[in-house]
Amino acid sequence: MSAPPVDPTPWSRRFEQGLHPTIARFNASIGFDIELIEYDLDGSIAHARMLARCGILSEAEATTLSDGLERIRGEWQAGTFRPGIEQEDVHFAVERRLIELVGEVGKKLHTARSRNDQVGTDLRLWLRDRIDRLRVQLLDFQRVLLDLAHVHVETLIPGYTHLQRAQPVSLAHYLLAYVEMSERDWQRLGDVRGRVNICPLGSGALAGTVLPIDRHYTAELLGFDGVSENSLDAVSDRDYAVEFLGAASLILVHLSRMAEEMILWASQEFRFIGLTDSCATGSSLMPQKKNPDVPELVRGKTGRVFGHLMGMLSVLKGLPLAYNKDLQEDKEGLFDTVRTVEQCLEAMTILLHEGIVFRPERLAEAVGEDFSNATDAADYLVKKGVPFREAYGVIGAVVKHCLQAGVLLIDLPIEGWQQFHPGFEPDLYAMIQPAMVVEARNSYGGTGFTQVRAALARSEQRWHAHRI
Ligand code: ARG
């Protein structure tokens, strides 16, 4: 079982033996935490400047350190710095390279700092950036929905409950429902950002430091809103990651629900939308097929993000204070989640923009081919003073009769109606036309065209305010 040890670690003078190579690989996070490198550099530069300001380093030393760190950034961006597994993690990799580049003074960077507060800082900086990007993407997604909604205020579409035809609605009203969902997603990410943007740096390994540091200064340099209050909590807190994963899961719940509808609507059974060639694929076997791969993948990828949320919760449960190596497991799921949400939002935005076309003739046919105007026929009687429950019963009997006779409500002659209730008069027919059925739902937040136009105006205003 003995194997040649890997590179000397910072603790090589304390230990008798080097790490077994398999264990070194098992222990290392460099394979994925290299993702944090630029944030690690930012954090270290701010830390060095703070150390100088507090008189712990000289100004000249701090300048040498930050110049060296910027050189590492250059090497990273040029692709010439690619640390391997022997570096264990991004923090060691950067520190070692710095010492190589600037010599002895490089060994001063880690003064008054531990990798425990360092990794927390890096992850928060990284996530803050990703949250900001995702919020822009959510607004892009809203933009496409809003543009479509403007075109489709008076396009009618069957509305469902239990996936049974219920009442027709404005297609814009349907699209604005998703604007509301993504608006909450946007807000939720903003809420999470507030708790992400707190600086743990200066908490040391777990208990703070004996050196006279200025945590608020470092936090300010890094654009944090404040500093953490308790060093034990600061190095072991990943609540913000859980919250983010929860917010990300909800984004995907929303996208996945819409994806499911796109898949249904593109089917032969619905035919509400057609798929354009740029967002669909064919079958390798069946020449007639056109498949909705994009929404299917969005629906499918949702599962892995739920998994990452559960994974993070499980890592945290039962961890004694403060830092434990288990916390290294916080990263891959988080990284994959951000990547997945970014991809799904992008794909759905493109899909809505150019991947689907609504089929107005088919939608018009769909809203007229069923009994989804039955509530309106009941409301017609209600307006004439008939108690709703009684009117409901009357229309139930009419529907049964029409089903047996094979006609729609609109086709039943007035005498037929009057057999069920004397209150029916010919003005009934106008009330149960699909367009009127929709138009009449004029309660605040309802699908009536006036309401939808007003809602669209409010959404536009909100969107522009967010964009600033
Ligand atoms: N790679 C580690 C992580 O991702 C950095 C912190 C290590 N701290 C320690 N005490 N071993 O969590």
Side-chain angles (χ1 to χ4, degrees):
M1 284 298 280
S2 71
V6 295
D7 252 21
T9 53
W11 48 82
S12 54
R13 293 170 68 189
R14 159 73 176 79
F15 284 29
E16 302 274 324
Q17 280 188 347
L19 214 48
H20 186 290
T22 304
I23 298 303
R25 266 195 305 278
F26 183 64
N27 193 45
S29 52
I30 188 83
F32 47 89
D33 68 13
I34 193 70
E35 167 92 25
L36 301 173
I37 185 164
E38 300 236 16
Y39 303 90
D40 196 74
L41 295 168
D42 292 342
S44 290
I45 291 165
H47 182 66
R49 285 177 62 188
M50 180 279 289
L51 290 175
R53 183 178 157 113
C54 296
I56 300 167
L57 293 185
S58 72
E59 284 296 340
E61 286 172 327
T63 305
T64 306
L65 292 179
S66 43
D67 288 352
L69 291 162
E70 287 298 356
R71 272 183 67 189
I72 298 177
R73 195 195 303 278
E75 291 179 353
W76 165 253
Q77 289 175 353
T80 55
F81 179 54
R82 288 292 179 266
I85 207 80
E86 66 289 348
Q87 304 293 338
E88 183 174 332
D89 63 21
V90 66
H91 323 293
F92 276 157
V94 167
E95 189 182 332
R96 281 220 186 88
R97 182 67 189 138
L98 183 67
I99 295 167
E100 276 170 23
L101 287 173
V102 305
E104 282 300 292
V105 63
K107 296 183 178 172
K108 293 195 172 183
L109 177 66
H110 212 55
T111 310
R113 188 175 75 171
S114 152
R115 278 185 300 159
N116 299 351
D117 54 350
Q118 188 181 357
V119 70
T121 307
D122 292 5
L123 200 58
R124 284 170 184 266
L125 289 172
W126 179 88
L127 189 55
R128 181 180 74 185
D129 253 20
R130 296 308 180 276
I131 286 175
D132 291 345
R133 275 161 41 173
L134 282 172
R135 290 181 93 209
V136 171
Q137 273 195 280
L138 281 169
L139 292 183
D140 292 344
F141 177 62
Q142 280 190 16
R143 187 66 260 155
V144 182
L145 287 167
L146 290 168
D147 289 346
L148 270 175
H150 282 289
V151 179
H152 289 297
V153 172
E154 294 192 17
T155 305
L156 307 184
I157 188 163
Y160 297 81
T161 63
H162 313 268
L163 201 57
Q164 302 287 326
R165 294 271 176 92
Q167 291 166 350
V169 293
S170 152
L171 176 53
H173 194 52
Y174 164 87
L175 296 163
L176 289 177
Y178 282 96
V179 170
E180 288 307 305
M181 291 178 232
S182 66
E183 173 65 18
R184 289 195 297 277
D185 291 331
W186 184 90
Q187 289 174 3
R188 216 176 337 264
L189 284 182
D191 295 343
V192 176
R193 189 191 196 279
R195 280 178 292 279
V196 168
N197 203 27
I198 298 295
C199 188
L201 201 60
S203 298
L206 76 166
T209 173
V210 296
L211 294 163
I213 59 170
D214 180 349
R215 294 190 56 207
H216 292 88
Y217 182 64
T218 327
E220 194 188 310
L221 289 178
L222 292 169
F224 281 111
D225 294 330
V227 301
S228 54
E229 290 293 325
N230 179 295
S231 61
L232 290 170
D233 175 47
V235 293
S236 51
D237 171 29
R238 295 293 183 275
D239 291 5
Y240 62 90
V242 173
E243 282 190 61
F244 173 78
L245 292 167
S249 297
L250 277 171
I251 294 174
L252 284 184
V253 164
H254 297 150
L255 293 184
S256 181
R257 290 180 79 167
M258 176 177 257
E260 170 69 12
E261 283 167 328
M262 297 299 146
I263 295 161
L264 285 173
W265 291 359
S267 71
Q268 202 57 49
E269 284 66 21
F270 280 78
R271 289 182 291 117
F272 290 176
I273 57 173
L275 299 170
T276 66
D277 292 357
S278 69
C279 293
T281 61
S283 155
S284 62
L285 175 77
M286 298 163 282
Q288 85 285 8
K289 290 291 290 291
K290 200 167 192 185
N291 296 328
D293 296 44
V294 172
E296 287 175 311
L297 278 172
V298 168
R299 191 177 57 182
K301 284 177 189 290
T302 299
R304 66 204 270 169
V305 170
F306 293 179
H308 294 322
L309 170 62
M310 203 43 65
M312 189 71 241
L313 285 166
S314 313
V315 164
L316 295 179
K317 170 189 174 297
L319 279 192
L321 290 181
Y323 178 86
N324 300 269
K325 190 72 171 223
D326 313 44
L327 289 173
Q328 183 164 287
E329 288 295 307
D330 60 3
K331 293 173 199 60
E332 285 165 288
L334 202 58
F335 296 166
D336 184 67
T337 295
V338 167
R339 214 165 17 245
T340 305
V341 178
E342 279 175 358
Q343 286 175 355
C344 289
L345 264 172
E346 213 176 8
M348 282 302 273
T349 304
I350 294 171
L351 183 76
L352 281 174
H353 182 62
E354 59 161 84
I356 58 165
V357 274
F358 287 97
R359 305 178 63 182
E361 61 322 314
R362 169 62 195 140
L363 290 172
E365 177 189 63
V367 291
E369 71 190 9
D370 58 31
F371 289 89
S372 58
N373 49 0
T375 318
D376 301 82
D379 286 337
Y380 176 88
L381 288 183
V382 168
K383 284 189 191 146
K384 296 201 165 187
V386 180
F388 176 75
R389 191 52 68 212
E390 191 188 326
Y392 171 95
V394 169
I395 304 301
V398 177
V399 168
K400 185 166 148 195
H401 169 78
C402 287
L403 282 170
Q404 282 162 357
V407 294
L408 294 170
L409 293 179
I410 207 97
D411 301 323
L412 185 67
I414 195 67
E415 303 76 44
W417 282 95
Q418 286 165 346
Q419 278 174 15
F420 291 92
H421 198 282
F424 290 119
E425 289 173 77
D427 63 344
L428 166 73
Y429 294 102
M431 309 302 292
I432 60 173
Q433 294 290 344
M436 186 50 81
V437 163
V438 175
E439 171 69 81
R441 297 222 147 62
N442 199 32
S443 52
Y444 188 94
T447 192
F449 302 136
T450 316
Q451 288 301 327
V452 170
R453 284 201 182 87
L456 195 43
R458 289 193 298 272
S459 300
E460 281 290 357
Q461 224 170 19
R462 196 171 60 188
W463 188 89
H464 283 99
H466 291 344
R467 255 303 192 215
I468 293 163

